[in-house]
Amino acid sequence: MPILILILLIVLIAQFGFWNTLGSVLGAVGVVILVILTLAALAALVGMYAYQRIRQKL
């Protein structure tokens, strides 16, 4: 699997140039980080909501 990623990066650099490829890779990493942060925030909100519901029933 890592060899396929390496080949893909080489092809991207050959086609678009180094800076465009670097921007694309950093953009993809940024999207992954934003998705993880969004899921963490959603989990925190669901946890707070569940905690409030359980606390009200006691």
Side-chain angles (χ1 to χ4, degrees):
M1 185 68 173
I3 191 76
L4 292 175
I5 295 172
L6 185 62
I7 290 171
L8 180 63
L9 277 175
I10 290 170
V11 169
L12 282 172
I13 290 172
Q15 286 183 346
F16 300 113
F18 176 75
W19 294 111
N20 289 337
T21 302
L22 183 63
S24 299
V25 171
L26 290 177
V29 169
V31 167
V32 170
I33 290 172
L34 284 175
V35 167
I36 290 171
L37 287 175
T38 302
L39 290 176
L42 181 63
L45 286 174
V46 168
M48 287 177 13
Y49 176 73
Y51 178 72
Q52 290 291 332
R53 297 273 301 192
I54 291 171
R55 194 167 171 205
Q56 285 177 356
K57 288 185 178 184
L58 294 178

